[in-house]
Amino acid sequence: MTRTDPIHQIRYAVRHPDRIVPHVRRLARDAWLRLRTTDHVSYYRAVMKSDTARNPEAAVGSKSHDRWLALGKMQFDYLVGHGLRPGHRMLEIGCGNLRAGRLFIDYLDGGGYYGLDISPDILIAAQRTLTEYGLRDKLPHLTPVRDLRFEFLPDASFDVVHAHSVFSHSPLHVIEECFAHVGRIMRPGGWFDFTFDRTEGREHQVLREDFYYRTETLLDLAAEHGLAGRFMEDWERLPHKQSKIRITLP
């Protein structure tokens, strides 16, 4: 049974009656935004514009400021524990308002952090984070993008590529676009960590915002583009609902 199954939705509504009205509002808003946009990136950019106007931290999936801080630290601690070093050059896809990025920027040598996002609105919020946490002197790069082709970045530029809670909001063709091009910008010995919403049953999506994939689907897709993928089992022990895969160049 998936989250789109009517029986699941009825049971969920019975258990959480307080969430019915917010869900209906979101459903109506998303339907309106889909009518006004022609592709997924434009649609999700509009979603982020709406969410960021209400609360930038909630727009990146944090229900409270404490949770925003905790999720950022979880990502940071995991990457440092799995090989990230101050001298590395790092690309964060979907950097948002720097929930984890502020910690990466502070840890890395000056100019070593590059953040991309499809939402100009959340990048403006990211600029406020830089100011609030006194990180301007680290000279991070923050860039809005419309796709994941990385055409403006030079070959073999990054030791680490990171995408947290990006593919959980991406249809498969967007993920494949990333796989087709990310290898070009990775340095030998580098890696690409990303999280995704994992299902062991039928793959599905909810409101064109949340996408659920089997692990094998993403590993096989990466292999089609000459990339080696590994499911990160130790990430599963952390208090986070998404799963993680690490991609390397063979």
Side-chain angles (χ1 to χ4, degrees):
M1 183 180 297
T2 69
R3 291 160 182 79
T4 58
D5 190 288
I7 296 177
H8 169 83
Q9 293 178 343
I10 291 172
R11 289 175 178 173
Y12 187 86
V14 170
R15 293 195 303 268
H16 306 282
D18 57 310
R19 300 181 185 179
I20 295 176
V21 172
H23 180 77
V24 171
R25 288 174 179 166
R26 176 182 168 186
L27 185 67
R29 181 205 66 175
D30 289 0
W32 171 244
L33 293 178
R34 283 197 297 274
L35 287 173
R36 299 182 63 188
T37 54
T38 58
D39 59 86
H40 179 76
V41 171
S42 298
Y43 162 68
Y44 205 72
R45 178 176 283 174
V47 168
M48 286 298 295
K49 181 179 179 67
S50 175
D51 288 347
T52 302
R54 292 182 175 88
N55 185 332
E57 293 183 358
V60 297
S62 302
K63 295 181 179 180
S64 67
H65 182 64
D66 286 345
R67 184 60 175 162
W68 186 83
L69 293 172
L71 285 173
K73 190 173 188 303
M74 185 191 308
Q75 296 172 57
F76 174 77
D77 288 346
Y78 188 86
L79 258 66
V80 170
H82 287 73
L84 181 66
R85 297 294 178 262
H88 282 161
R89 183 177 291 179
M90 177 181 182
L91 175 68
E92 185 164 34
I93 302 169
C95 64
N97 68 332
L98 302 179
R99 178 172 59 184
R102 65 186 178 84
L103 298 172
F104 294 133
I105 292 166
D106 189 44
Y107 176 76
L108 295 169
D109 292 344
Y113 177 90
Y114 288 67
L116 309 180
D117 208 287
I118 65 168
S119 170
D121 299 273
I122 203 66
L123 288 178
I124 291 174
Q127 293 173 356
R128 291 196 294 269
T129 300
L130 289 177
T131 302
E132 180 180 351
Y133 286 90
L135 296 169
R136 291 172 293 192
D137 290 345
K138 297 304 288 280
L139 296 175
H141 305 261
L142 302 176
T143 305
V145 294
R146 286 198 57 85
D147 56 46
L148 295 180
R149 296 178 181 272
F150 315 116
E151 291 177 330
F152 65 100
L153 295 172
D155 294 355
S157 301
F158 298 101
D159 303 285
V160 179
V161 182
H162 182 244
H164 183 92
S165 197
V166 174
F167 291 171
S168 54
H169 302 299
S170 301
L172 201 59
H173 74 270
V174 172
I175 299 174
E176 182 168 20
E177 178 179 76
C178 180
F179 287 169
H181 299 279
V182 72
R184 180 185 65 79
I185 62 171
M186 292 170 60
R187 289 176 173 171
W191 71 88
F192 170 27
D193 277 14
F194 64 85
T195 63
F196 67 104
D197 280 327
R198 180 166 61 93
T199 181
E200 296 180 357
R202 180 171 60 86
E203 296 179 332
H204 61 284
Q205 55 83 18
V206 179
L207 298 178
R208 301 298 295 175
E209 285 189 37
D210 303 306
F211 293 78
Y212 295 81
Y213 297 108
R214 291 188 295 272
T215 303
E216 295 76 13
T217 297
L218 300 182
L219 292 177
D220 291 346
L221 187 61
E224 290 179 13
H225 292 280
L227 305 170
R230 175 165 62 95
F231 184 76
M232 305 298 279
E233 294 185 2
D234 58 347
W235 174 264
E236 298 292 297
R237 296 192 289 270
L238 298 176
H240 195 278
K241 294 180 180 180
Q242 295 183 16
S243 296
K244 183 185 284 282
I245 287 174
R246 172 164 291 190
I247 295 291
T248 55
L249 298 173

